[in-house]
Coordinates of all heavy atoms in Angstrom, one line a residue:
E83 N 0.8 -1.2 0.0 CA 0.0 0.0 0.0 C 0.8 1.3 0.0 O 0.3 2.4 -0.1 CB -1.0 0.0 1.2 CG -0.3 -0.2 2.5 CD -0.4 -1.6 3.0 OE1 -0.3 -2.6 2.2 OE2 -0.7 -1.8 4.2
D84 N 2.1 1.1 0.1 CA 3.0 2.3 0.0 C 3.3 2.7 -1.4 O 3.9 3.7 -1.7 CB 4.4 2.0 0.7 CG 4.2 1.9 2.2 OD1 3.4 2.6 2.8 OD2 5.0 1.1 2.8
T85 N 2.9 1.8 -2.4 CA 3.0 2.1 -3.8 C 2.3 3.4 -4.1 O 1.1 3.5 -3.9 CB 2.5 1.0 -4.6 OG1 3.4 -0.2 -4.4 CG2 2.6 1.3 -6.1
A86 N 3.0 4.4 -4.6 CA 2.4 5.7 -5.0 C 3.5 6.6 -5.6 O 4.7 6.2 -5.6 CB 1.9 6.4 -3.7
V87 N 3.0 7.7 -6.1 CA 4.0 8.8 -6.5 C 4.2 9.7 -5.2 O 3.2 10.2 -4.6 CB 3.4 9.6 -7.6 CG1 4.4 10.8 -8.0 CG2 3.2 8.8 -8.9
Y88 N 5.4 9.9 -4.9 CA 5.8 10.6 -3.7 C 6.3 12.0 -4.1 O 7.1 12.2 -5.0 CB 6.9 9.9 -2.9 CG 6.3 8.8 -2.1 CD1 6.0 7.6 -2.8 CD2 6.2 8.8 -0.7 CE1 5.4 6.5 -2.0 CE2 5.7 7.8 0.0 CZ 5.3 6.6 -0.7 OH 4.8 5.6 0.0
F89 N 5.8 13.0 -3.5 CA 6.1 14.4 -3.8 C 6.7 15.1 -2.6 O 6.2 14.9 -1.4 CB 4.9 15.2 -4.2 CG 4.1 14.7 -5.4 CD1 3.2 13.7 -5.3 CD2 4.4 15.3 -6.6 CE1 2.5 13.3 -6.4 CE2 3.8 14.8 -7.8 CZ 2.8 13.8 -7.7
C90 N 7.7 15.9 -2.8 CA 8.2 16.8 -1.7 C 7.6 18.2 -1.9 O 7.3 18.6 -3.1 CB 9.7 16.8 -1.6 SG 10.6 17.6 -2.9
A91 N 7.5 18.9 -0.9 CA 7.0 20.3 -1.0 C 7.6 21.2 0.1 O 8.0 20.7 1.2 CB 5.4 20.2 -0.8
R92 N 7.6 22.5 -0.2 CA 8.1 23.5 0.7 C 7.0 24.4 1.1 O 6.3 25.0 0.3 CB 9.2 24.3 0.0 CG 9.9 25.4 0.8 CD 11.0 26.1 0.0 NE 11.8 27.0 0.8 CZ 11.6 28.3 1.0 NH1 10.5 28.8 0.4 NH2 12.4 29.0 1.7
S93 N 6.9 24.6 2.4 CA 5.9 25.4 3.0 C 6.3 26.8 3.1 O 7.4 27.2 3.0 CB 5.5 24.9 4.4 OG 4.5 25.7 5.0
Y94 N 5.3 27.7 3.2 CA 5.5 29.1 3.5 C 5.9 29.4 4.9 O 6.4 30.4 5.3 CB 4.3 30.0 3.2 CG 3.1 29.6 4.0 CD1 2.9 30.1 5.3 CD2 2.1 28.7 3.4 CE1 1.8 29.7 6.0 CE2 1.0 28.4 4.2 CZ 0.8 28.9 5.4 OH -0.3 28.5 6.2
S95 N 5.7 28.4 5.8 CA 5.9 28.5 7.2 C 7.2 27.7 7.7 O 7.7 26.8 7.1 CB 4.7 27.9 7.9 OG 4.9 27.9 9.4
L96 N 7.6 28.1 8.9 CA 8.7 27.4 9.5 C 8.2 26.2 10.3 O 9.0 25.3 10.6 CB 9.4 28.3 10.5 CG 10.2 29.5 10.0 CD1 10.7 30.4 11.1 CD2 11.4 29.0 9.2
L97 N 6.9 26.2 10.6 CA 6.3 25.1 11.4 C 5.8 24.0 10.5 O 5.5 24.2 9.3 CB 5.2 25.7 12.2 CG 5.5 26.9 13.1 CD1 4.3 27.4 13.8 CD2 6.6 26.6 14.1
V98 N 5.7 22.8 11.1 CA 5.2 21.7 10.4 C 3.8 21.9 10.0 O 2.9 22.4 10.7 CB 5.3 20.4 11.2 CG1 6.8 20.0 11.4 CG2 4.6 20.5 12.5
K99 N 3.4 21.5 8.7 CA 2.1 21.6 8.2 C 1.7 20.3 7.6 O 2.5 19.5 7.1 CB 2.1 22.7 7.1 CG 2.5 24.1 7.6 CD 1.6 24.6 8.6 CE 2.0 26.0 9.1 NZ 1.1 26.6 10.1
I100 N 0.4 20.0 7.6 CA -0.1 18.7 7.2 C -1.1 18.7 6.0 O -1.6 17.7 5.6 CB -0.7 17.9 8.3 CG1 -2.0 18.6 8.9 CG2 0.3 17.7 9.4 CD1 -2.7 17.8 9.9
T101 N -1.4 19.9 5.5 CA -2.3 20.0 4.4 C -1.6 20.6 3.2 O -0.7 21.4 3.3 CB -3.6 20.9 4.7 OG1 -3.2 22.2 5.0 CG2 -4.3 20.3 5.9
A102 N -2.0 20.2 2.0 CA -1.3 20.6 0.7 C -1.4 22.1 0.5 O -0.5 22.7 0.0 CB -1.9 19.8 -0.4
R103 N -2.5 22.7 1.0 CA -2.7 24.1 0.7 C -1.7 25.0 1.5 O -1.6 26.2 1.3 CB -4.1 24.5 1.1 CG -4.5 24.4 2.5 CD -6.0 24.8 2.7 NE -6.4 24.7 4.1 CZ -7.0 23.6 4.6 NH1 -7.2 22.6 3.8 NH2 -7.3 23.5 5.9
E104 N -1.0 24.4 2.5 CA -0.1 25.1 3.3 C 1.4 25.0 2.7 O 2.3 25.4 3.4 CB -0.1 24.6 4.7 CG -1.4 24.9 5.4 CD -1.6 24.2 6.8 OE1 -1.4 22.9 6.8 OE2 -1.8 24.9 7.8
Y105 N 1.5 24.5 1.5 CA 2.8 24.3 0.8 C 2.7 25.1 -0.5 O 1.8 25.1 -1.2 CB 3.1 22.9 0.6 CG 3.4 22.1 1.8 CD1 2.5 21.6 2.7 CD2 4.8 22.0 2.2 CE1 2.8 21.0 3.9 CE2 5.1 21.3 3.4 CZ 4.1 20.8 4.2 OH 4.4 20.2 5.4
E106 N 3.8 25.9 -0.7 CA 3.9 26.7 -1.9 C 4.5 26.1 -3.1 O 4.1 26.4 -4.2 CB 4.7 28.0 -1.5 CG 4.0 29.0 -0.6 CD 4.8 30.3 -0.4 OE1 6.0 30.2 -0.1 OE2 4.2 31.3 -0.7
Y107 N 5.6 25.3 -2.9 CA 6.3 24.7 -4.0 C 6.3 23.2 -3.9 O 6.4 22.6 -2.9 CB 7.8 25.3 -4.0 CG 7.8 26.8 -4.1 CD1 8.0 27.6 -3.0 CD2 7.7 27.4 -5.4 CE1 8.1 28.9 -3.1 CE2 7.8 28.8 -5.5 CZ 8.0 29.5 -4.3 OH 8.1 30.9 -4.4
W108 N 6.3 22.6 -5.1 CA 6.2 21.2 -5.2 C 7.2 20.6 -6.2 O 7.5 21.2 -7.2 CB 4.8 20.7 -5.6 CG 3.7 21.1 -4.6 CD1 3.1 22.3 -4.4 CD2 3.2 20.2 -3.7 NE1 2.2 22.2 -3.4 CE2 2.3 21.0 -2.9 CE3 3.4 18.9 -3.4 CZ2 1.5 20.4 -1.9 CZ3 2.6 18.3 -2.3 CH2 1.7 19.1 -1.6
G109 N 7.7 19.4 -6.0 CA 8.5 18.7 -6.9 C 7.7 18.0 -7.9 O 6.4 18.0 -7.9
Q110 N 8.3 17.3 -8.8 CA 7.6 16.6 -9.9 C 7.1 15.2 -9.5 O 6.3 14.6 -10.2 CB 8.6 16.5 -11.1 CG 9.6 15.3 -11.1 CD 10.7 15.5 -10.1 OE1 10.9 16.6 -9.5 NE2 11.4 14.4 -9.8
G111 N 7.6 14.7 -8.4 CA 7.2 13.4 -7.9 C 8.1 12.3 -8.4 O 8.8 12.4 -9.4
T112 N 8.2 11.3 -7.5 CA 9.0 10.1 -7.9 C 8.2 8.9 -7.5 O 7.6 8.8 -6.5 CB 10.4 10.1 -7.1 OG1 11.2 9.0 -7.6 CG2 10.2 10.0 -5.6

């Protein structure tokens, strides 16, 4: 069930965030 496309993202915040809308930049996925 870990099979998926994995994306990294950079938030606008210094604090940990758990929703996609709290991230500004995204990679292409692997």
